[in-house]
Amino acid sequence: MAEIKFEKAAKLKAKPDVSKIGFGTHFTDYMFEMDYDKEHGWHDARIIPYHDITVSPANTTLHYGQAIFEGMKAFRQGDKVVMFRPMDHLRRLNNSCRILDIPPVDIDTVHEGLRKLITTEKAWVPAKKGQSLYIRPFIFATDPYLGVSVSSSYTLLIILSPVAAYYAHGFAPVKIMVEDTYVRAVRGGLGEAKTPANYAASLHAGLVAHQKGYDQTLWLDGVERKYIEEVGSMNILFKIKGEIVTPELDGSILNGITRRTVLAIAKEWGIPTSERRISIDEIREAYTDGDLEEVFGSGTAAVISPVGVLGYKGEDMVINDGKIGSFAQKMFEHITGLHSGELKDTQGFVEFVTEM
Ligand code: COI
């Protein structure tokens, strides 16, 4: 495994009151960095003071978007710091690399670098339940070149941000608009990758949804505009007649780690689950028949986000009287209980990093 160098910061920042800063606004004192070029491969793994970066105006990422990222979290469990499913996130990072033709990283080196970074920054991991240290690894192309081609050089950075709830209103039902005009991704495209392009593709529709009074957009498939995909910052799950149903992984949606966690826990609880194609017509029918018991999103940033309203073609489906469903509530408490250490981790999701 490659050696990880360390450069000490001249001055440390004052730590903010996490309950006042929302999500993703403050960053810690250090970051992890590693570079790639054809001659050396991934090299020069280092933990260095957090700093702004300089790129050429011809940087290929700025022009053509060859970049990927991850989102994961570290938590305080009393006097310990843990991460949640870090290896699954790093494996997904390499899957995104594959889709974007970025050279895969040595997961063990990045994992070790991440553990060292979190250990260095352990004082930044918030102690309160519901708060965490959000971990953002990302890789971007660095060739200064205006031709459209796969870059020959890259940088990987990991930055850390102490966060509270992703949504300003915390754990409360959101209003989601089913999008039938714009599309996020199509099968065969980049949909499964955690790459900026998918988020760029969601911005305009998100704005339109906001203007109409909704919090987020639920995407339909890009070909028939018929099958449910994902919300963009979350996967989507339905409880229909006692079964947890979620769209299958078909290459155009993100293979969510929290989605996987929810399915694994539901199985542990003996609740039937199904990953399959679900059409919006099926959801409308289940709603009309009174079979649509709950709708909720899952994601690392949001954890579990109950959906109170699903708007489609100008009509609102009010789910569970607009209240948090009992399954979503129980799942939220279970996952946050695993994060905080109040619940025993029977499935090996939690990785110990360091004592305080
Ligand atoms: C996450 O859930 O970690 C995400 O990456 C979603 C979003 C904040 C972009």
Side-chain angles (χ1 to χ4, degrees), residues 167-217:
Y167 293 112
H169 47 64
F171 182 62
V174 289
K175 280 182 81 174
I176 302 269
M177 190 179 100
V178 182
E179 179 56 63
D180 59 354
T181 304
Y182 306 106
V183 297
R184 170 187 174 271
V186 288
R187 239 172 294 156
L190 299 177
E192 188 186 287
K194 217 159 165 57
T195 184
N198 289 328
Y199 296 81
S202 75
L203 294 177
H204 181 68
L207 207 65
V208 173
H210 270 280
Q211 283 159 356
K212 292 185 178 166
Y214 295 90
D215 299 298
Q216 286 214 32
T217 310

Side-chain angles (χ1 to χ4, degrees), residues 23 69 71 134 136 166 194 199 233 299-301:
F23 182 89
F69 67 96
Y134 186 76
R136 173 53 61 87
Y166 182 65
K194 217 159 165 57
Y199 296 81
S233 62
T300 299

Side-chain angles (χ1 to χ4, degrees), residues 50-324:
Y50 184 93
H51 63 89
D52 287 346
I53 53 177
T54 308
V55 292
S56 159
N59 171 287
T60 50
T61 301
L62 298 180
H63 298 271
Y64 308 122
Q66 198 193 359
I68 54 132
F69 67 96
E70 263 305 313
M72 53 212 268
K73 282 177 173 172
F75 301 90
R76 271 280 291 278
Q77 294 192 345
D79 56 0
K80 295 186 179 62
V81 174
V82 303
M83 289 192 281
F84 198 74
R85 307 192 77 166
M87 290 307 270
D88 291 311
H89 282 281
L90 294 179
R91 281 191 274 269
R92 191 173 65 177
L93 181 90
N94 262 353
N95 188 47
S96 297
C97 283
R98 179 186 61 75
I99 297 169
L100 271 288
D101 268 315
I102 294 172
V105 295
D106 173 35
I107 289 185
D108 291 334
T109 301
V110 178
H111 183 224
E112 191 49 29
L114 176 57
R115 289 180 59 85
K116 286 206 166 120
L117 181 65
I118 301 285
T119 303
T120 306
E121 298 290 59
K122 61 187 179 185
W124 282 86
V125 184
K128 280 202 193 125
K129 195 169 175 192
Q131 302 181 347
S132 59
L133 189 66
Y134 186 76
I135 303 165
R136 173 53 61 87
F138 60 108
I139 302 179
F140 59 99
T142 53
D143 277 4
Y145 174 56
L146 287 187
V148 178
S149 68
V150 172
S151 183
S152 64
S153 61
Y154 301 86
T155 293
L156 177 150
L157 298 177
I158 305 178
I159 58 173
L160 307 174
S161 175
V163 299
Y166 182 65
Y167 293 112
H169 47 64
F171 182 62
V174 289
K175 280 182 81 174
I176 302 269
M177 190 179 100
V178 182
E179 179 56 63
D180 59 354
T181 304
Y182 306 106
V183 297
R184 170 187 174 271
V186 288
R187 239 172 294 156
L190 299 177
E192 188 186 287
K194 217 159 165 57
T195 184
N198 289 328
Y199 296 81
S202 75
L203 294 177
H204 181 68
L207 207 65
V208 173
H210 270 280
Q211 283 159 356
K212 292 185 178 166
Y214 295 90
D215 299 298
Q216 286 214 32
T217 310
L218 175 61
W219 298 105
L220 297 179
D221 77 278
V223 179
E224 296 174 72
R225 316 272 166 99
K226 185 173 169 188
Y227 296 100
I228 309 269
E229 298 242 303
E230 63 165 60
V231 175
S233 62
M234 312 185 287
N235 291 109
I236 190 92
L237 299 99
F238 304 90
K239 183 160 171 268
I240 305 173
K241 285 207 265 187
E243 184 184 42
I244 303 301
V245 186
T246 193
E248 65 191 356
L249 301 174
D250 62 356
S252 70
I253 69 168
L254 195 75
N255 184 350
I257 311 286
T258 313
R259 171 188 180 279
R260 249 186 269 167
T261 303
V262 170
L263 293 174
I265 294 169
K267 278 182 194 138
E268 190 180 292
W269 290 345
I271 294 178
T273 62
S274 153
E275 297 172 64
R276 60 174 174 81
R277 283 186 119 187
I278 314 158
S279 71
I280 184 64
D281 295 334
E282 177 186 342
I283 294 302
R284 276 171 105 184
E285 206 177 299
Y287 175 74
T288 311
D289 295 347
D291 293 336
L292 183 59
E293 293 155 3
E294 291 187 42
V295 182
F296 59 97
S298 70
T300 299
V303 189
I304 297 292
S305 178
V307 176
V309 172
L310 259 189
Y312 181 53
K313 293 199 184 292
E315 277 174 35
D316 278 350
M317 295 178 250
V318 179
I319 318 296
N320 192 37
D321 289 332
K323 296 196 207 88
I324 299 174

